[in-house]
Amino acid sequence: MNEMNEVRKPPVATTGIIGWLRINLFFNWTNSLITLFVIYCLYQFIPWILDWTIFSADFKYNYLGEQITNQEMCSRNLDPENGGACWAVIYVRFYQFIYGFYPRVEVWRVNLAYVMLAFALLPLLYAKLPYRKYFLYFTYIFPVIAYFLLNGGLGFTEVSTNKWGGLLVTLVLGCTGIALAFPIGIMLALGRRSKLPVISMMCTLFIEFIRGVPLITLLFFGMVMLPLFLPEGIDMDGLVRVLVAVTLFQSAYMAEVIRGGLQAIPPGQYEAAKSLGMSYWRMNLLIILPQAIRISIPPIVNTSIGLFKDTTLVIIVGILDLLGIGRGTLADTNWLGLSYEIYFFVSLVFFIFTFGMSRYSLYLEKKLKTGINMGAD
Amino acid sequence: MSEESIISLKNVNKWFGDFHVLQDVNLEVKKKERIVVCGPSGSGKSTMIRCINRLEEHQEGSIIVDGIELTGNLKNIDNVRKEVGMVFQQFNLFPHLSVKENITLAPIWVKKMPKAEAEELAMRQLEIVKIPEQANKYPGQLSGGQQQRVAIARSLAMNPNIMLFDEPTSALDPEMIKEVLDVMVDLANGGMTMIVVTHEMGFAKTVADRMVFMDEGKIVEEASPDKFFNNPESDRTKLFLSQILHQ
């Protein structure tokens, strides 16, 4: 009966918003019931959390209009019926959360390092950045600049690392750990697969030993035992000792992740590279590793996120990272009982960083997949 | 005789574990000679040619390629590999690099050729294998026949004296076999020394100077194509030929 030139449309309500709702939320009656239940829960939860975190919250002043300087002045302590979160504690202690006990006169150095870190990350994040090559040079020398900026030397006043704290320590540990562990992990992974038995055994032993020990034990090891191995008279900085422990720990995990990627490369790739006369290092650098790392991006980011969060464990050897400063603040009689606010803030900061990393890995996966079919045949 | 040999295998033996895969293999190949190796699967023909560029190690006997003996000496191995190109059954292109980069990689990094020169060379090689228009695609975007031709171009870019082909058409769909064989025939007519492991008997009849038949790790028969196909000596060769020609 249809006219020849009539364009057949898809059945009503399978496309557009209504179609999407029907297929995804109200497909059958159990599905609809669950949808309604979830909507009800969100209806209960969202207004409450918005009210607590924003609408009824104190930021700097309480509901009487006084500037808050201790927990007794928080609206919710003055009038338990009203008042939400008391963010004033973050406001008052913000400096410590971000810089620890870094001297205020020198704090511009930390700020500069933060800004430079952003610039150093730019060429890694955006492959299409104009003048990317020059930005990359900066990325390579950034660690050296950051060291002198933060630690002192070259005309800068020394700031002992025991004055560092908060986000500064978290970022230094996280970034250095991840950045150093990556090349070390690659070497360990290649070493473990090496045909030379001595190298392969040493790498395997190292990886298995480090992986078999909890990070906390390694931190204690770094703090207590590392100085015993050093020649007399040389005192290793506390933060450096922790960094060594964190980096070793992370490299062992990174090595295993990259080894997984290496195992996924078909032997034909090695043979093709060899038949073209490539040496072991050329073959690995140009052919094998680029493919292996591409395959391993999700687990690499996964272990990196893991490390970033594990840096909070340094609190047990007396280094105050972001969480450490939070716990220190809680112990202050002025701010007793504000654990919700402090843990909420600390979680939020960690979430921003880790969520950023995970989005970045998705972007990378997408970008590297375009036009490349990994299974060549 | 052995003065002119560019490849010389003498009493080569190899075991995979307890399996004796090459048993006293002797083979002399002269410059510009085209050898086709055939035989049932598991007869050691792939292993033999993979020993010639040391992708596999032989355990006894000697292999001399272009005057260089293959031993544990890494420098010798590298030198031999620069002389010998190889094309594989599974193409083994580098999937993360474009066609052009696949070809330029070894000239740039192994031969230290300037990038512009290497790219020019790559385009010339792609002309030879008749797919210059695919230069900027990735291997995954090409058909099997095109991939294999890129693999041939990649080997040729290193300007080898000898080309080894390890069942180059076995992984291809039937309609793509011809385009690859055509390129190989051109190459043979150009005077390249070639050792080809293949079951393409038509190709063997056209280009081979000598046929080598292997079975159970041994070279059973060596003869001119004419004699090999029309009047083979060994019963095993007759059986094999009757099996593959009756497909």
Side-chain angles (χ1 to χ4, degrees), chain B residues 2-168:
Chain B
S2 76
E3 284 289 306
E4 314 167 43
S5 290
I6 191 166
I7 301 172
S8 155
L9 281 75
K10 287 208 179 85
N11 293 324
V12 172
N13 278 284
K14 178 171 176 64
W15 288 263
F16 285 131
D18 282 335
F19 179 58
H20 199 173
V21 62
L22 293 180
Q23 306 179 18
D24 288 319
V25 169
N26 287 289
L27 184 70
E28 301 285 327
V29 180
K30 280 178 277 182
K31 224 172 198 164
K32 300 198 176 180
E33 206 176 9
R34 279 98 53 163
I35 309 279
V36 169
V37 183
C38 59
S41 68
S43 61
K45 50 196 193 309
S46 285
T47 310
M48 181 183 74
I49 71 164
R50 287 157 61 87
C51 281
I52 294 172
N53 67 350
R54 194 86 170 178
L55 288 184
E56 301 283 358
E57 275 175 48
H58 60 290
Q59 285 137 332
E60 281 175 13
S62 76
I63 299 179
I64 299 171
V65 180
D66 211 6
I68 306 167
E69 169 148 24
L70 281 171
T71 55
N73 185 330
L74 290 177
K75 193 135 200 182
N76 282 356
I77 295 174
D78 280 346
N79 287 334
V80 165
R81 283 176 181 160
K82 278 176 207 162
E83 296 295 317
V84 181
M86 187 162 196
V87 175
F88 302 86
Q89 183 177 358
Q90 297 295 340
F91 330 136
N92 296 342
L93 293 179
F94 307 130
H96 62 301
L97 299 175
S98 73
V99 165
K100 201 199 268 176
E101 289 165 334
N102 260 280
I103 301 173
T104 55
L105 194 71
I108 291 175
W109 291 95
V110 180
K111 284 199 162 168
K112 314 281 177 208
M113 191 182 279
K115 196 174 171 217
E117 199 182 317
E119 284 185 351
E120 224 172 274
L121 171 71
M123 289 317 292
R124 273 207 306 282
Q125 298 302 339
L126 283 173
E127 301 274 356
I128 291 174
V129 299
K130 301 174 193 116
I131 36 173
E133 72 284 359
Q134 311 287 359
N136 294 315
K137 287 198 183 161
Y138 283 89
Q141 297 167 303
L142 303 184
S143 73
Q146 291 170 330
Q147 289 193 46
Q148 191 62 297
R149 285 189 278 159
V150 173
I152 294 174
R154 180 177 69 178
S155 281
L156 290 179
M158 288 297 282
N159 196 19
N161 289 326
I162 302 162
M163 285 287 287
L164 307 173
F165 291 84
D166 188 3
E167 307 205 25

Side-chain angles (χ1 to χ4, degrees), chain A residues 13-284:
Chain A
T14 57
T15 55
I17 293 174
I18 293 183
W20 184 88
L21 283 176
R22 268 177 67 150
I23 289 165
N24 291 292
L25 299 180
F26 300 99
F27 191 67
N28 54 29
W29 67 269
T30 24
N31 206 318
S32 309
L33 219 67
I34 293 170
T35 303
L36 289 176
F37 177 71
V38 170
I39 290 176
Y40 175 75
C41 290
L42 289 177
Y43 169 75
Q44 289 290 313
F45 176 73
I46 289 177
W48 174 79
I49 192 79
L50 282 180
D51 186 61
W52 186 78
T53 52
I54 299 169
F55 300 123
S56 304
D58 304 336
F59 288 93
K60 192 172 169 186
Y61 304 99
N62 63 17
Y63 74 108
L64 299 171
E66 303 160 325
Q67 187 164 350
I68 299 170
T69 53
N70 61 52
Q71 45 96 9
E72 282 164 18
M73 294 173 73
C74 288
S75 300
R76 75 170 151 108
N77 288 344
L78 292 170
D79 177 9
E81 295 293 305
N82 293 308
C86 185
W87 299 119
V89 58
I90 310 293
Y91 176 78
V92 173
R93 292 296 187 100
F94 192 73
Y95 185 88
Q96 277 187 22
F97 274 112
I98 305 300
Y99 309 103
F101 306 96
Y102 213 87
R104 288 197 184 239
V105 223
E106 304 287 349
V107 80
W108 63 270
R109 281 158 51 181
V110 183
N111 285 329
L112 187 59
Y114 282 156
V115 174
M116 285 165 95
L117 174 68
F119 273 100
L121 288 177
L122 260 183
L124 300 178
L125 301 182
Y126 297 106
K128 283 182 193 148
L129 192 74
Y131 306 109
R132 178 162 183 266
K133 218 165 115 189
Y134 302 101
F135 275 97
L136 269 180
Y137 290 142
F138 175 70
T139 307
Y140 297 139
I141 55 165
F142 170 72
V144 183
I145 302 178
Y147 171 80
F148 286 113
L149 254 185
L150 294 175
N151 187 58
L154 289 183
F156 295 120
T157 339
E158 294 250 343
V159 178
S160 155
T161 54
N162 56 29
K163 295 209 173 92
W164 301 15
L167 186 64
L168 175 62
V169 162
T170 299
L171 284 179
V172 165
L173 286 176
C175 294
T176 323
I178 292 167
L180 284 180
F182 192 58
I184 300 177
I186 289 176
M187 297 308 293
L188 284 171
L190 288 176
R192 189 167 184 173
R193 284 167 60 87
S194 166
K195 277 191 199 143
L196 306 171
V198 178
I199 292 183
S200 143
M201 206 166 70
M202 271 168 35
C203 292
T204 310
L205 268 177
F206 177 87
I207 292 170
E208 294 302 339
F209 174 73
I210 301 281
R211 270 205 318 170
V213 174
L215 178 55
I216 296 190
T217 318
L218 277 182
L219 290 174
F220 279 129
F221 172 85
M223 270 325 216
V224 181
M225 306 230 342
L226 211 54
L228 298 180
F229 291 114
L230 292 174
E232 222 170 306
I234 292 183
D235 189 29
M236 213 174 174
D237 186 275
L239 192 67
V240 175
R241 278 184 255 168
V242 167
L243 252 177
V244 170
V246 164
T247 308
L248 292 183
F249 179 78
Q250 181 69 358
S251 351
Y253 276 88
M254 205 55 100
E256 286 302 276
V257 162
I258 291 169
R259 191 168 68 95
L262 288 173
Q263 266 162 350
I265 307 298
Q269 293 289 310
Y270 292 88
E271 292 174 357
K274 282 183 195 163
S275 76
L276 290 168
M278 288 193 191
S279 64
Y280 175 83
W281 290 109
R282 290 254 158 74
M283 173 177 78
N284 276 300

